[in-house]
Amino acid sequence: MEELLNGIGIAALVILALVGLAVGWVASLLTGGRRRALYMIVGALAAMATPFLLAALGVTILAAGGLLLVVIVALIGAALVLALIRAIAK
C-alpha cells in the first residue's frame, strides 16, 4: 500500500478528492439537490479510499496503470458508494 501512496503522491490525492466532490455533486443533482454537502463529502472520501482498498486487497495494477487508471477506479468507487448510500437511505 505504501507503494501506491508513493506512486500517486499528494497531488493525486487532491485530484481524487476533486473527482469525488464532482461525483457527489452530480449525485445530489440526480436526487433532487438535497443533501449536497453529504454526497460531496462521501464522494470525496470514497474516491480517495477506493484505490487504497484495492491495493490492500492485492490489486497491484493500479500502481502500474498510472494516474488516469487510479482516477477512473476512484470515480467508479465513489459512484458505487453513493449508490449504496442512496439505496440504504430510501
Side-chain angles (χ1 to χ4, degrees), residues 26-78:
V26 170
S28 72
L29 291 178
L30 292 174
T31 60
R34 295 180 306 260
R35 299 186 221 152
R36 179 168 293 161
L38 173 69
Y39 281 122
M40 291 176 74
I41 291 169
V42 170
L45 292 174
M48 289 188 294
T50 301
F52 291 104
L53 290 174
L54 290 176
L57 292 173
V59 179
T60 58
I61 191 73
L62 290 179
L67 183 60
L68 182 61
L69 181 62
V70 172
V71 168
I72 291 170
V73 166
L75 179 84
I76 294 169

Side-chain angles (χ1 to χ4, degrees), residues 4-18 48 52 67:
L4 180 65
L5 182 58
N6 289 334
I8 62 174
I10 299 298
L13 286 176
V14 172
I15 291 171
L16 294 178
L18 292 174
M48 289 188 294
F52 291 104
L67 183 60

